[in-house]
Amino acid sequence: MTLLHLLPHPRTVTPDAGGGHLELAPGATIAAGPGTEGVARWLRRELGAATGYAFADAGRGEGQGEGQGEGQGQGSDPERGPGAAAGVQPAAVRLSVDGGLAREAYRLRVAADGVELRGGSAAGVFWGAQTLRQLLGADAYRRAPLPGAVWRLPYGEVADAPRFGWRGLMLDVARHFMPKDGVLRYIDLLAAHKLNVLHLHLTDDQGWRVEIKRYPRLTGVGAWRGRSRWGHRASPLWNETPHGGFYARDDIREIVAYAAERHVRVVPEIDLPGHSQAAIAAYPQLGNTDVVDTAALGVWDDWGINENVLAPTEAVLRFYEGVFEELLELFPAEVSPFVHIGGDECPKAQWKASAVAQERIRELGVDGEDGLQSWFVRHFDRWLAERGRRLIGWDEILEGGLAPGAAVSSWRGYAGGIAAAEAGHDVVMCPEQQVYLDHRQAGGADEPVPIGYVRTLEDVYRFEPVPPKLSERAASHVLGAQANVWTEAMENQSRVDYQVFPRLAAFAEVVWSTLPEPAERDYGDFEARMAEHYRRLDVLGVDYRAPGGPLPWQRRPGVLGRPIEGAPPNV
């Protein structure tokens, strides 16, 4: 392994002119400066499993006593060369916080006297630790040591920092439930790629996945459906096995704590006022009872846009306030400052036919049915802001206007994000045409359940989160980007892996690294580094799409998808 095989690509890499390497031996230690104890614990656990070494605690480390400030000591001097500590047995790995660096930035130096890793915060140190792990080679990702393994780090320095503060992945656990262990695994995979946001799509028409104590039927009824469409919604095939599951309150607490230790924020999503049939099936009074027999509704077993939406009543607002009260307790602000309310794809037919909804329009003085949707969004925008949280929603929430603190996930293309940013709202770019990872990866007949446009590994590598037409002021409102994974056609972890990887590695480099304009990016260099990265994914047990195409067990012959031909529009 060399300094030149890192992914995402660092800002600067300086191999030592004389070459050489540092070999970690069984007596290697870790010295954790103030504020880095959690990173040391993670590093000791992960590298200890792979190497079999204990990585004993070396205390605060050389020169890290009182008066040194921010955990910097003599061992962090970048001018010390490989031979500066001749005859001395220092800690093999020294971690410290350096207040002179940006929060997620880090500096990693490997020399004869050991490893010096400094970060602008514990998060920066953690991202540097991920680089350190990469430098040890793919076997550093194993859960037990291989016989005869040798652990070598090349001499040199890496100076690095991310381009964006929001580097995310959205997992749809509502359409097909992902058990808790799978979510924890994906948090580790995000962290390994220096991604720092996990957006959990927790509710939809097809399932409610988070326990709400005051409303037990949300999971007692809403978490389970009798069967599932097999393939796209046009497919005539069905999986007749009942499907469901949910995260108990303590499961959520575990997920949040696990993510926090890895410096990953979790964004919970409770979808409203559309995509709500699972909730209505559990509590029929939430629906438009004057036009639909909501008591006859079950959890939806099909895919697509559902006509059964929430009723625009004060009682429904109070119900969802109760949901959000428990949600905020489970997702504390330090890990989850943003709360996603969906807000997309809300059909208005039931509101048009409902006397209750029409009377509500008159009472509120809003602009028809679209105004009712905006009323829902604005209510929870204020409600969340009063509790120190920020609302984020899909770009439809722009329709009708937003409060200043609300943010937008721009999914229908760039246009919503551009409008939001120019209006002064923060934006996360996730255009369907570019970074929806449920879209197919190639045009071949063997691609399993082919959905949407062809989005190859190279296409994702050339994705640009900041459209060139944005003004400089508006561009500052682009928090970053996330890739979205909708799971209607992904029935298990293996299918999710296949759709997500290796494209998530390309996406990670786009949002972390400072790259040239899309057409000028060196995809050949990225491909060369991917050769080593595939070995890491193999060790991690990721069922990715191989460069040559799907393997036999990854195919789904005869299961209908919905491929869209041609290049995606740049909208």
Side-chain angles (χ1 to χ4, degrees):
M1 182 63 193
T2 75
L3 289 165
L4 303 179
H5 284 85
L6 296 172
L7 192 152
H9 198 283
R11 291 198 176 185
T12 64
V13 176
T14 310
D16 188 80
H21 61 264
L22 173 71
E23 187 168 316
L24 294 183
T29 59
I30 294 177
T36 70
E37 296 86 357
V39 180
R41 184 168 56 249
W42 176 87
L43 194 60
R44 187 173 288 114
R45 182 171 58 246
E46 299 300 324
L47 294 191
T51 64
Y53 303 165
F55 288 100
D57 184 359
R60 300 179 72 188
E62 179 186 350
Q64 291 181 344
E66 293 182 4
Q68 295 296 329
E70 297 287 354
Q72 293 186 75
Q74 297 170 7
S76 63
D77 183 355
E79 300 302 321
R80 293 170 65 193
V88 179
Q89 183 61 47
V93 181
R94 298 182 294 276
L95 311 177
S96 61
V97 172
D98 182 345
L101 297 174
R103 195 183 73 83
E104 290 192 284
Y106 68 88
R107 300 290 184 272
L108 173 66
R109 171 181 166 274
V110 180
D113 63 342
V115 177
E116 191 72 39
L117 173 54
R118 297 180 286 129
S121 67
V125 179
F126 182 73
W127 304 130
Q130 293 288 354
T131 296
L132 175 65
R133 194 183 190 189
Q134 284 196 17
L135 289 173
L136 285 168
D139 288 337
Y141 293 82
R142 295 194 182 276
R143 297 298 182 187
L146 298 182
V150 178
W151 304 101
R152 291 173 174 169
L153 293 164
Y155 288 158
E157 296 188 11
V158 178
D160 203 6
R163 180 185 178 193
F164 293 108
W166 188 301
R167 308 180 301 278
L169 177 74
M170 188 224 68
L171 275 178
D172 170 15
V173 297
R175 270 54 175 271
H176 277 101
F177 178 63
M178 179 178 285
K180 179 193 68 179
D181 285 353
V183 176
L184 299 180
R185 173 179 178 265
Y186 259 85
I187 291 169
D188 280 327
L189 290 171
L190 293 184
H193 291 82
K194 298 187 174 74
L195 299 173
N196 68 342
V197 176
L198 174 63
H199 172 177
L200 283 178
H201 183 74
L202 290 166
T203 73
D204 215 296
D205 300 301
Q206 296 86 358
W208 185 286
R209 306 295 178 214
V210 55
E211 179 186 19
I212 301 298
K213 201 168 184 179
R214 74 187 72 182
Y215 304 130
R217 288 176 59 85
L218 286 173
T219 46
V221 173
W224 310 94
R225 63 176 181 263
R227 63 176 187 168
S228 305
R229 177 80 69 175
W230 181 224
H232 183 260
R233 61 181 176 270
S235 169
L237 305 176
W238 291 88
N239 180 345
E240 297 290 345
T241 304
H243 179 84
F246 65 91
Y247 309 111
R249 289 163 59 87
D250 283 346
D251 293 335
I252 292 291
R253 292 186 178 101
E254 181 182 357
I255 288 168
V256 169
Y258 195 87
E261 187 180 31
R262 289 150 182 80
H263 300 276
V264 173
R265 286 180 288 163
V266 183
V267 177
E269 180 182 354
I270 302 294
D271 216 332
L272 60 87
H275 289 291
S276 297
Q277 182 163 321
I280 296 168
Y283 291 93
Q285 68 270 25
L286 298 175
N288 296 283
T289 57
D290 60 337
V291 294
V292 176
D293 180 9
T294 57
L297 294 176
V299 177
W300 204 28
D301 57 13
D302 212 345
W303 318 130
I305 299 175
N306 189 296
E307 293 290 331
N308 292 298
V309 303
L310 298 175
T313 67
E314 291 294 328
V316 169
L317 294 185
R318 300 293 88 75
F319 183 97
Y320 273 83
E321 286 171 0
V323 169
F324 282 115
E325 282 175 6
E326 292 196 26
L327 200 77
L328 298 192
E329 176 198 341
L330 296 173
F331 293 89
E334 56 269 24
V335 181
S336 302
F338 286 89
V339 174
H340 209 291
I341 57 92
D344 63 317
E345 297 179 329
C346 179
K348 309 299 192 300
Q350 290 185 2
W351 290 349
K352 288 180 186 294
S354 167
V356 172
Q358 293 303 309
E359 178 61 26
R360 196 66 168 156
I361 289 170
R362 288 188 288 273
E363 288 175 1
L364 296 170
V366 297
D367 185 15
E369 291 76 26
D370 288 340
L372 279 184
Q373 181 167 355
S374 180
W375 169 74
F376 265 104
V377 172
R378 284 177 168 273
H379 175 83
F380 286 104
D381 191 1
R382 291 191 301 271
W383 192 92
L384 289 166
E386 289 167 359
R387 289 155 181 81
R389 304 301 180 96
R390 293 186 63 187
L391 178 144
I392 185 168
W394 304 113
D395 53 57
E396 286 97 327
I397 70 171
L398 283 167
E399 298 159 9
L402 279 180
V408 169
S409 301
S410 187
W411 77 272
R412 290 181 292 181
Y414 288 107
I418 292 170
E422 294 290 359
H425 295 287
D426 288 340
V427 175
V428 176
M429 287 294 187
C430 47
E432 174 186 17
Q433 303 83 357
Q434 312 298 327
V435 288
Y436 267 32
L437 300 186
D438 41 299
H439 284 212
R440 57 195 172 131
Q441 303 183 63
D446 286 335
E447 289 300 314
V449 199
I451 303 294
Y453 297 101
V454 171
R455 292 286 83 194
T456 66
L457 182 64
E458 182 172 0
D459 290 332
V460 175
Y461 191 65
R462 298 193 188 281
F463 164 60
E464 173 49 49
V466 181
K469 64 177 68 173
L470 273 184
S471 67
E472 184 176 349
R473 178 190 60 80
S476 69
H477 284 288
V478 178
L479 300 177
Q482 69 181 32
N484 291 344
V485 185
W486 300 101
T487 62
E488 290 97 328
M490 298 180 216
E491 73 281 4
N492 56 35
Q493 178 177 283
S494 175
R495 276 288 290 127
V496 175
D497 279 3
Y498 179 90
Q499 292 299 132
V500 171
F501 290 100
R503 292 183 294 182
L504 192 68
F507 176 82
E509 183 147 308
V510 166
V511 291
W512 176 277
S513 305
T514 303
L515 299 175
E517 293 300 311
E520 299 170 7
R521 293 175 188 171
D522 189 347
Y523 181 69
D525 173 72
F526 174 77
E527 270 194 311
R529 286 180 287 119
M530 276 301 300
E532 177 65 24
H533 198 63
Y534 284 121
R535 293 190 60 231
R536 299 181 191 119
L537 296 178
D538 285 334
V539 171
L540 288 167
V542 176
D543 202 6
Y544 59 85
R545 182 190 189 276
L551 299 170
W553 63 86
Q554 295 172 324
R555 300 168 187 159
R556 298 291 186 276
V559 182
L560 187 66
R562 182 177 173 265
I564 304 175
E565 302 302 333
N570 188 17
V571 294

